[in-house]
Amino acid sequence: MKVLTKKTDYAIRALLMLAAKKGSYISTKAISAEQDMPYQFLRGVLQEMIRHGLITSKEGVQGGFMLEKDPDEISVKQIIEIFQGEVQVSECMFRKQICINRSRCVLRHEIMRIEQVVSGEFQKITIGGLLRKLTAANSAKPALNESDKSSSETT
Amino acid sequence: MKVLTKKTDYAIRALLMLAAKKGSYISTKAISAEQDMPYQFLRGVLQEMIRHGLITSKEGVQGGFMLEKDPDEISVKQIIEIFQGEVQVSECMFRKQICINRSRCVLRHEIMRIEQVVSGEFQKITIGGLLRKLTAANSAKPALNESDKSSSETT
DNA sequence: TTAATTGATATCAATTTAGTATCAGTTTTA
DNA sequence: TAAAACTGATACTAAATTGATATCAATTAA
Ligand code: FES
Ligand code: FES
């Protein structure tokens, strides 16, 4: 059971880069190269995020994308919802004869409770929070933006 | 983001029926008709559950499937793992330059924590527990097995 | 003017999910 | 003993989703 798709994955990583260099434009090419994501695919992901107001763009030479919202206001939940739709365990898992009265369906309650929990966990995680943890862990080293080849471990 | 696939869905519902009539054999045909699931597809699901020791079968006339394990010992997590693989948020979301030292990757910690939470929630839910809630909600009415057409609401 | 960029789409390939079909073997029962 | 009701095992197909690529027009800095 895979929870996050590539789009969500790439989106989060791109946002982390943009958050690390908040205020300046970064091109798709730069992000794609740095994070090793397929260029055209990433472009689609970035454009989708514009439509949802997370980032803005500037065309032409020296153009690129810039973070629009406060990193602490961007949750992983939001990103999942953009690229994978709302968190739902099962549309209506037991829609047939099992539940005599659907409006009082207990299984539904159970399912919705999990949805709340899962959803809540993803909401807790923000781009801002992730970035702080990242930079803290990477100490004084330049995070995300510099193509740091000095690191010993990669995979 | 859909969490449960049809296989998992059907498996849970089939197990609920088997648990409700524990000790006797129920045919695929009966389950399929009662729960409105595609016959051949359901057969595959049931056979898979035999392989995982959740149920047993009897061939021939009057044959069918019977619950093998204690309903309280069968968690939704187990069922998900059978049909959708282990719960994993992302294989290794930030496997490239982001993490300077993979073994100390903080994002990974975050991800694994969610995996624990999600996984834990699904583990809490058992077939036995669900069945009790179901029968309690459906009061004295016959649950799951009788094709109860007296119910007013269906969808 | 040219090169570097995004906007907007269209298309394609790969993978996963959902569903169907078939034939052989087993067991009850008429 | 033969037919009917079953499961075992597999092969196959269809649909949906996911992942990736390609193209062309418009914009902007140098
Ligand atoms: S009626 Fe949909 S979950 Fe019970
Ligand atoms: S190195 Fe894989 S999540 Fe950080």
Side-chain angles (χ1 to χ4, degrees):
Chain A
M1 187 184 122
K2 201 177 60 187
V3 178
L4 304 185
T5 61
K6 291 284 182 189
K7 280 188 179 176
T8 306
D9 180 339
Y10 294 164
I12 295 174
R13 285 157 59 192
L15 286 172
L16 282 171
M17 261 192 85
L18 294 178
K21 279 214 170 180
K22 198 164 189 269
S24 55
Y25 288 101
I26 307 181
S27 72
T28 310
K29 197 179 152 199
I31 300 173
S32 153
E34 173 82 18
Q35 302 288 338
D36 195 36
M37 307 169 191
Y39 178 73
Q40 295 294 354
F41 193 63
L42 176 61
R43 288 189 60 196
V45 169
L46 291 168
Q47 291 192 6
E48 188 71 31
M49 289 200 282
I50 288 181
R51 285 178 216 121
H52 284 83
L54 298 185
I55 59 181
T56 46
S57 65
K58 195 178 91 176
E59 284 177 271
V61 176
Q62 303 276 9
F65 298 86
M66 185 169 69
L67 201 64
E68 177 82 342
K69 292 182 66 178
D70 178 351
D72 291 324
E73 299 294 312
I74 305 176
S75 70
V76 168
K77 186 195 169 196
Q78 279 174 67
I79 304 166
I80 290 177
E81 283 177 352
I82 290 172
F83 296 103
Q84 303 177 236
E86 253 191 280
V87 173
Q88 61 174 165
V89 176
S90 183
E91 294 145 31
C92 179
M93 206 169 137
F94 309 95
R95 70 231 94 124
K96 305 297 174 183
Q97 277 80 3
I98 288 190
C99 298
I100 291 188
N101 187 331
R102 185 170 184 276
S103 59
R104 293 187 183 183
C105 175
V106 276
L107 297 179
R108 206 168 168 71
H109 288 341
E110 201 74 20
I111 285 169
M112 285 168 71
R113 193 182 56 75
I114 297 190
E115 278 179 12
Q116 292 301 312
V117 173
V118 174
S119 194
E121 286 301 315
F122 283 122
Q123 194 151 31
K124 280 185 203 163
I125 307 176
T126 67
I127 294 298
L130 283 177
L131 185 62
R132 277 188 294 278
K133 288 205 177 184
L134 249 187
T135 49
N138 292 349
S139 308
K141 297 189 183 185
L144 289 163
N145 26 44
E146 299 271 311
S147 53
D148 185 311
K149 300 298 178 193
S150 68
S151 60
S152 49
E153 292 182 62
T154 314
T155 311
Chain B
M1 188 185 122
K2 201 177 60 187
V3 177
L4 304 186
T5 61
K6 290 287 182 188
K7 280 188 179 176
T8 306
D9 180 337
Y10 295 163
I12 294 174
R13 285 157 61 192
L15 286 173
L16 282 170
M17 263 192 83
L18 295 178
K21 280 212 169 182
K22 197 164 190 270
S24 55
Y25 288 101
I26 307 181
S27 72
T28 310
K29 197 179 152 198
I31 300 173
S32 153
E34 173 83 17
Q35 302 287 337
D36 196 36
M37 307 168 190
Y39 178 72
Q40 295 294 352
F41 193 63
L42 177 60
R43 288 190 61 196
V45 169
L46 291 168
Q47 291 192 7
E48 189 71 32
M49 288 200 282
I50 288 181
R51 285 177 217 122
H52 285 82
L54 298 185
I55 58 181
T56 46
S57 65
K58 195 179 92 176
E59 284 178 270
V61 177
Q62 303 278 9
F65 298 86
M66 186 170 69
L67 201 65
E68 176 83 342
K69 292 182 66 179
D70 178 351
D72 291 323
E73 299 295 311
I74 304 176
S75 69
V76 168
K77 186 195 170 197
Q78 279 174 64
I79 304 166
I80 290 177
E81 284 179 349
I82 290 173
F83 296 103
Q84 302 177 235
E86 253 189 279
V87 173
Q88 61 174 165
V89 176
S90 183
E91 294 145 31
C92 180
M93 206 169 136
F94 309 95
R95 69 230 95 121
K96 306 295 174 183
Q97 276 81 4
I98 287 189
C99 299
I100 291 187
N101 186 332
R102 186 170 184 278
S103 60
R104 293 187 183 185
C105 175
V106 275
L107 298 179
R108 206 168 167 71
H109 289 340
E110 201 75 20
I111 285 169
M112 284 168 70
R113 194 182 56 76
I114 297 191
E115 278 179 11
Q116 293 300 313
V117 173
V118 174
S119 196
E121 285 301 315
F122 283 123
Q123 193 152 30
K124 280 185 203 163
I125 307 177
T126 66
I127 293 298
L130 283 177
L131 186 62
R132 277 189 294 278
K133 288 204 177 186
L134 248 188
T135 49
N138 291 351
S139 309
K141 296 191 185 185
L144 287 164
N145 27 43
E146 299 271 310
S147 53
D148 186 310
K149 300 298 179 192
S150 67
S151 60
S152 49
E153 292 182 62
T154 315
T155 312

